[in-house]
Amino acid sequence: MRVGEFELIETIRRRARVGIELSLGIGDDCSSVVVPSDHELLTSTDLLLEGVHFRLDWTDMYSLGLKAVAVNVSDLAAMGARPVSLHLAVGLPAQVSEKQVEQFLDGIFAGLERYQVSLAGGDTCRAEGPMVISVTAQGFCHKDQFIRRDGARVGDDLWVSGTLGDSGLALRLLQSGQKLSPFFEERHHRPVARTLLGQILGSRGLATSMLDLSDGLSGDLSHLLKASAVGARVELDRLPLSQEFEVELQKDQAVFDLAICGGEDYELLFTAHSEQRSEIEKLSVEISLPLHRIGEMTSCPELQLCLATGQRYQPHISAFDHFSSAEGICLE
Ligand code: ADP
Ligand code: MG
């Protein structure tokens, strides 16, 4: 990368969208946002490391930029917040060309446009090792409306948006040297954050707890169960699968475990009182996003994965954990 730090920051500054919430954007030591009364400012950070979270021979730089925005905005969606501003810190190795930086920024700005988020600041460095991307996203939520992961109660329904396992399956295909179809490309490299769903669930008070699925259904659901001190029974025959996933499943039944344990779907997993069923079904139609009821919360403090026969099921892979032993599926 030959372009200088300040030149690059100036390019970014010129392109940055500055929403009305931003009283101070790029150019000073800090940025500042004006929080509307009765609202709270929610903040989330994610790190994307080359070689750990992405490989430059598997993804293009535009998709990487778009994904860096989406995965952060997804955390805000998971609280029911409206995304407002974003900070972008990048460490760029010398091997990354000017053209690649431009494509990466095109992806970042496409993401900012898609979610109507302002780029409020960041940091830019030359990296000696692999490429590093750190994004911090901020959003607003009415102080009584944000949805935490500790609010699930025994008897609540368990819901999930979209389909499960597509991104994990795409990664599996990449690892086995296959080229991805446009569908799997999209699901793995250009995930979409469910911002509208998150905000509506929050503002209408429909969900009792929620999180976004980054580490896989079983792993993320376990976090929710622990926070809420409840258990869950998941009916595996209810898991929403895409047609493309079903095709791969026909070829190899072992693929099914990716719907349970595969990461990076960025769908929303939430719990709701059973009286809300029809409201949630209506919402699904209203926003044209499939919402599926896949189980319920139980008093027995464990995660039960049940087959249609009622038998318990144990997946052959576990959810990804960066610090666990090598037995987890490698979602790197
Ligand atoms: P400082 O030395 O005070 O940290 P910098 O020279 O790093 O300032 O950055 C100057 C301005 O440009 C700051 O407002 C900072 O937030 C912004 N900035 C730097 N890098 C980025 C980036 N990658 N994306 C967005 N804004 C950036
Ligand atoms: Mg700086």
Side-chain angles (χ1 to χ4, degrees), residues 81-97:
R82 173 169 75 90
V84 169
S85 73
L86 189 126
H87 286 77
L88 167 71
V90 281
L92 295 165
Q95 312 83 273
V96 173
S97 70

Side-chain angles (χ1 to χ4, degrees), residues 155-220:
D156 283 356
D157 291 329
L158 180 65
W159 294 83
V160 72
S161 65
T163 55
L164 292 171
D166 298 323
S167 183
L169 178 51
L171 181 66
R172 176 69 65 85
L173 296 171
L174 283 170
Q175 285 169 334
S176 64
Q178 296 185 52
K179 192 174 158 6
L180 298 184
S181 65
F183 172 81
F184 285 115
E185 269 276 328
E186 214 50 44
R187 293 290 282 160
H188 185 64
H189 292 308
R190 292 180 290 280
V192 176
R194 304 303 190 189
T195 42
L196 183 60
L197 172 63
Q199 286 174 76
I200 295 180
L201 289 172
S203 62
R204 295 186 192 169
L206 290 174
T208 52
S209 72
M210 178 155 67
L211 46 68
D212 66 327
L213 291 174
S214 52
D215 297 334
L217 173 67
S218 65
D220 287 321

Side-chain angles (χ1 to χ4, degrees), residues 5-6 9 12 26-29 88 90 119 121-124:
E5 176 189 341
F6 296 107
I9 295 175
I12 294 173
I26 294 175
D28 215 315
D29 295 308
L88 167 71
V90 281
L119 186 59
D123 205 12
T124 306

